[in-house]
Amino acid sequence: MAEAGPLPLDVPVPACGLFEGGWYRLQARLHGASVAGLRLCLLVEDAGPPCADEACVSLPPVHADARVQALVRLRMDTHALRLGIPGHADAGVRAQVRLRRIGKRRALAAMLVDLAHHVGRGAALRLAAGTLLRLPRGLRAAGDWAYAQYRQRLGAPPDPYAAWLLARALDPHAQPAARARRLAALPARPRVSILLPVYDPPLDWLRACLDSVLAQAYPDWELCIADDASPSPQVRALIEDYGRRDGRIRAVYRARNGHIAAASNDALALARGEWVALLDHDDLLAPHALLEMVRAALAHPRWRMLYSDEDKLDAADRRCDPYFKPDFNHTLLLGQNCIGHLAMYRADLLREVGGVAPGVDGSQDWDLALRCVERLRRDEIGHVPQVLYHWRAHAGSSAADPAAKDYATAAARRAVQAHLQRTGQAAEVEILAPGRLRVRRALPSPPPRVSLIVPTRDRVDLLRPCVEGLLHATDYPALEVLVVDNGSVEAQTRDYLAAIARDARVRVLRFDAPFNYSAINNFAARQASGSVLGLINNDIQVIAPGWLREMVAEALRPGIGAVGALLLYPDGRIQHAGVLLGIGGVAAHPWCGWPQDTRGPMDRLRLAHELSAVTGACLVVRREAFDAVGGLDAALPVAFNDVDLCLRLRAAGYRNVWTPHAQLVHAESATRGPDTDPHNLARLQREADFMRQRWGALLDDDPAYNPNLSLDGEAFALAASPRPRARGEWMALGVK
């Protein structure tokens, strides 16, 4: 076997420079504590198109003698094979590996031996019999079936996040030498004071927490510990031991328990750094956490507050349940603590706001973020899209079960309510679920007049329920409906339009020109009397009366541009839950076709939040904002005009909001028809090219969508290759 090396480990490449496709016998011996029963994973980097089902091959369990052997098939020539432990990227395990290419017959024999050893002779006999039965179909078919059965019985696939972590750990940027280069390239090395309030944690967890600080690739830190009168004398003894080992660790010991706010503020009093980072006594920092946070802060001198992505550690210390956060999203912060960990603040900012506030224990970090946000501009708040913090999920922790600390949610409600009052926002905060809040905003009295613009062409079967819902099923006292007739020819349409025009709230406008969604809505907006505009497709149906109140209340917030709703297909599935940029080239609707009760990552589909764009099928915007950006662009007659409008609003300094608390039904383009017609496809491509030319790279870096997530295929899937910001490529530093 090759010389032992730490996992994750690159398997030595043959002299020819690649692993040729075929069957291989892999043998490995592990060195480290408690390795028996672990499952290794072999990451396959293909020379040709990737085979997703075999890109990450889970191996049989490690024997009691710390050995593992497995059969591996490479479908094609491969440049690199990498061995690791999914979910344990920093497990401290070393391995020796041997990989031998074998023939088809020996491959079948190896499968039979492994099955007999791990599952039993019966499983091996059944595999042999099944393979023989399939031989008449060809050797390849029989081999495919046998290997599929073998992997199913022995190679339980790792969860997607575990496999993704293994790939990230093997990235060149993650290697110690690369981190050393990044450290050496820093133009400055500010001190980071880590605040660690401690109260009677299990010693193993506290020791692991302290070790994670000592393991930091960035050395210019100090650890400020405040022990909150822990009953166990062993806690103080452990802290003192670490203090003797490293002079960067300082501690204060409280005489009485004052809870987390008091302990945090005592730790803050010890801090001498320019920056302050927050750490809980049972959690872990990633080894590169401070390095990446400092690199980002130096690349963005205006930042006074920044935060990273995070995940959790399960009972077996496996990393799980990642939270890939959006860039700063104030509306989402009112519904959940999307700042969380790792958070790093300028020390002067924390002292300016008075440190950690008492009375909101369990949500003190949420409250602290809100009080800091009140004093900052949006460009002073940064996001480092890397998983740099690991929560420990254990019985009784909010990481494992948010309901375990219901007092924390009550405290969060008080914190958000106080924030709204301090910032002059008339609203009431409701608890939706543990750690999840809804802000019900008050409308001014009297509420502003809203002009709802409904373009149509015939299809009374769609228009009638739409208009009836707007007029008679909508609980909003001041609205007008502008129905824009774009060339209807049917007699029943003319009769219906004449009938609804007798309602004082309805005006029917004629637009006698070829269909152009942008031009139609701009034409109607110029004649609208409302200070708020609503763009409404004629296949929208009202299903709950309060939808417009919710959308208008959001639209009236200072700085808000477009507001979108949750739209459902007639069968109840999700049709629109916002728009994400970059997916499919320009933009796409995430969760389209998913069940209505889909919650999304960290319950995002249950919470109002900011997005770069929302659909024009049901969009509310203040007339002032609409006019400020020139309305919709008639150069986009059908597709992407709503996305373009939202992006121009954003470029003008507005924020766009999507709310799940306004729900309607949308049949989706029932009047116009699908985009599968060759003429429609050509027009769609022209409009996509227009968007690419106008917005360029912005489409590939949506601030509402984490750069660790995929732009190819399903939204919120993990990206096979995270985009530059997720790799810590802050070009202002001149280093990657």
Side-chain angles (χ1 to χ4, degrees):
M1 289 190 180
E3 183 178 345
L7 292 179
L9 176 71
D10 282 321
V11 179
V13 181
C16 65
L18 52 76
F19 300 92
E20 296 179 355
W23 299 95
Y24 287 82
R25 191 62 163 157
L26 182 146
Q27 296 172 305
R29 182 173 183 177
L30 305 187
H31 304 271
S34 304
V35 297
L38 285 177
R39 279 192 180 272
L40 298 178
C41 186
L42 190 69
L43 197 72
V44 180
E45 181 180 305
D46 293 311
C51 302
D53 61 328
E54 295 184 12
C56 193
V57 181
S58 183
L59 306 181
V62 177
H63 299 167
D65 62 359
R67 296 176 185 270
V68 62
Q69 62 178 1
L71 182 77
V72 176
R73 181 180 65 178
L74 304 180
R75 285 191 177 271
M76 59 189 69
D77 295 348
T78 298
H79 288 305
L81 297 174
R82 292 156 178 173
L83 194 67
I85 306 173
H88 291 272
D90 303 302
V93 175
R94 299 176 65 82
Q96 296 169 276
V97 183
R98 181 184 182 190
L99 194 67
R100 293 180 296 120
R101 193 174 186 198
I102 61 177
K104 297 181 180 66
R105 291 183 177 82
R106 291 185 64 187
L108 178 59
M111 286 189 270
L112 297 175
V113 168
D114 290 348
L115 278 177
H117 179 81
H118 289 284
V119 184
R121 293 182 61 188
L125 291 172
R126 286 191 292 274
L127 181 74
T131 305
L132 289 172
L133 286 172
R134 286 162 177 80
L135 277 177
R137 304 179 191 174
L139 194 59
R140 180 60 180 264
D144 286 347
W145 179 86
Y147 188 55
Q149 296 299 307
Y150 172 82
R151 290 190 64 197
Q152 183 177 351
R153 299 303 300 270
L154 293 184
D159 72 85
Y161 183 53
W164 185 86
L165 280 175
L166 178 59
R168 302 287 72 72
L170 292 161
D171 190 286
H173 293 101
Q175 305 312 308
R179 290 175 182 167
R181 288 193 298 271
R182 287 187 165 190
L183 177 64
L186 292 178
R189 298 247 300 253
R191 180 188 292 173
V192 179
S193 299
I194 306 168
L195 307 189
L196 181 64
V198 172
Y199 180 72
D200 211 32
L203 293 182
D204 286 346
W205 293 353
L206 178 57
R207 187 176 291 108
C209 175
L210 298 174
D211 286 343
S212 79
V213 176
L214 292 177
Q216 288 302 298
Y218 184 78
D220 297 276
W221 53 262
E222 63 175 1
L223 181 60
C224 303
I225 303 175
D227 177 62
D228 197 20
S230 295
S232 171
Q234 294 175 305
V235 171
R236 178 165 184 162
L238 181 62
I239 294 171
E240 290 177 339
D241 176 56
Y242 273 80
R244 287 188 293 269
R245 290 164 52 185
D246 195 310
R248 294 172 294 180
I249 299 176
R250 296 183 298 131
V252 61
Y253 302 92
R254 293 178 51 83
R256 291 187 304 167
N257 179 257
H259 303 296
I260 193 166
S264 297
N265 287 330
D266 283 355
L268 178 60
L270 295 175
R272 299 171 298 187
E274 299 171 46
W275 289 92
V276 172
L278 308 182
L279 176 62
D280 289 346
H281 64 196
D282 50 359
D283 297 338
L284 305 181
L285 295 178
H288 56 306
L290 296 184
L291 174 61
E292 293 304 320
M293 295 292 276
V294 168
R295 291 181 73 251
L298 292 174
H300 301 85
R302 288 190 57 81
W303 287 3
R304 300 182 69 200
M305 166 184 172
L306 59 157
Y307 62 96
S308 76
D309 297 340
E310 61 193 60
D311 63 11
K312 298 185 176 71
L313 295 171
D314 67 12
D317 277 352
R318 289 186 298 261
R319 291 173 58 183
C320 60
D321 197 13
Y323 185 11
F324 292 108
K325 304 171 186 176
D327 290 349
F328 178 62
N329 196 312
H330 186 220
T331 303
L332 183 59
L333 182 60
L334 301 179
Q336 65 166 224
N337 184 6
C338 57
I339 299 297
H341 294 292
L342 175 66
M344 195 167 87
Y345 300 85
R346 293 284 304 194
D348 57 354
L349 174 64
L350 286 195
R351 295 188 174 100
E352 188 179 315
V353 301
V356 179
V360 285
D361 287 356
S363 290
Q364 72 285 337
D365 50 353
W366 193 345
D367 173 77
L368 178 63
L370 288 167
R371 288 187 291 113
C372 288
V373 163
E374 292 167 18
R375 295 173 180 257
L376 299 175
R377 295 168 52 93
R378 294 180 70 86
D379 63 357
E380 295 177 307
I381 304 169
H383 171 215
V384 181
Q386 300 181 55
V387 179
L388 302 179
Y389 192 96
H390 314 307
W391 289 63
R392 190 176 297 278
H394 57 83
S397 73
S398 56
D401 178 11
K405 296 182 178 179
D406 54 0
Y407 67 87
T409 301
R413 179 184 176 278
R414 294 194 301 274
V416 173
Q417 189 73 65
H419 168 73
L420 295 172
Q421 291 170 351
R422 288 192 300 267
T423 53
Q425 301 181 61
E428 292 295 324
V429 181
E430 298 177 358
I431 295 174
L432 292 176
R436 308 289 183 260
L437 306 175
R438 175 184 178 182
V439 176
R440 285 189 180 269
R441 300 184 179 277
L443 287 170
S445 181
R449 186 174 181 82
V450 179
S451 298
L452 301 177
I453 301 170
V454 186
T456 193
R457 180 176 182 175
D458 291 319
R459 291 301 301 268
V460 172
D461 59 316
L462 293 174
L463 180 63
R464 188 189 307 275
C466 174
V467 173
E468 292 297 309
L470 300 180
L471 294 176
H472 305 299
T474 298
D475 179 19
Y476 193 88
L479 61 81
E480 70 170 352
V481 178
L482 304 179
V483 179
V484 188
D485 180 16
N486 182 215
S488 295
V489 296
E490 297 175 358
Q492 62 176 344
T493 304
R494 292 195 296 269
D495 292 344
Y496 179 69
L497 294 176
I500 60 174
R502 290 193 286 269
D503 190 310
R505 296 170 294 174
V506 178
R507 280 190 286 156
V508 177
L509 309 176
R510 292 283 298 182
F511 185 83
D512 295 320
F515 177 82
N516 183 311
Y517 179 85
S518 299
I520 291 171
N521 280 281
N522 290 342
F523 164 76
R526 289 192 293 270
Q527 303 181 59
S529 62
S531 61
V532 177
L533 304 176
L535 310 186
I536 307 293
N537 278 17
N538 67 346
D539 50 359
I540 290 288
Q541 297 178 26
V542 175
I543 55 176
W547 69 276
L548 190 54
R549 284 180 174 271
E550 169 73 14
M551 296 181 75
V552 172
E554 289 288 350
L556 294 179
R557 292 166 56 196
I560 298 301
V563 177
L566 172 61
L567 303 183
L568 305 172
Y569 285 114
D571 63 5
R573 293 175 299 125
I574 294 172
Q575 187 273 326
H576 172 263
V579 174
L580 294 178
L581 305 180
I583 298 177
V586 176
H589 295 188
W591 315 112
C592 186
W594 285 59
Q596 182 179 353
D597 59 359
T598 300
R599 296 167 61 171
M602 294 296 288
D603 293 332
R604 263 180 75 161
L605 294 190
R606 303 178 69 184
L607 305 171
H609 58 274
E610 292 155 31
L611 291 171
S612 292
V614 294
T615 183
C618 181
L619 181 154
V620 168
V621 60
R622 283 180 294 121
R623 184 189 192 115
E624 175 188 7
F626 185 83
D627 290 344
V629 298
L632 294 156
D633 193 331
L636 294 165
V638 178
F640 304 125
N641 39 53
D642 46 4
V643 177
D644 177 74
L645 170 67
C646 289
L647 292 183
R648 285 186 287 114
L649 285 166
R650 200 180 82 176
Y654 296 97
R655 293 173 287 137
N656 303 310
V657 169
W658 175 84
T659 173
H661 309 304
Q663 298 185 11
L664 304 99
V665 166
H666 181 211
E668 191 180 24
S669 304
T671 317
R672 184 171 51 84
D675 280 320
T676 54
D677 175 84
H679 175 75
N680 287 347
L681 287 173
R683 184 261 312 150
L684 180 63
Q685 186 59 55
R686 288 194 302 273
E687 294 176 349
D689 293 342
F690 178 96
M691 290 292 289
R692 270 281 158 194
Q693 184 175 7
R694 170 171 284 181
W695 297 107
L698 177 65
L699 299 179
D700 298 326
D701 194 20
D702 188 340
Y705 189 57
N706 192 288
N708 288 288
L709 303 176
S710 177
L711 295 178
D712 304 313
E714 187 174 307
F716 290 95
L718 294 168
S721 179
R723 293 180 289 289
R725 285 197 303 134
R727 299 195 296 269
E729 296 182 6
W730 307 106
M731 296 309 175
L733 282 175
V735 296
K736 295 185 178 181

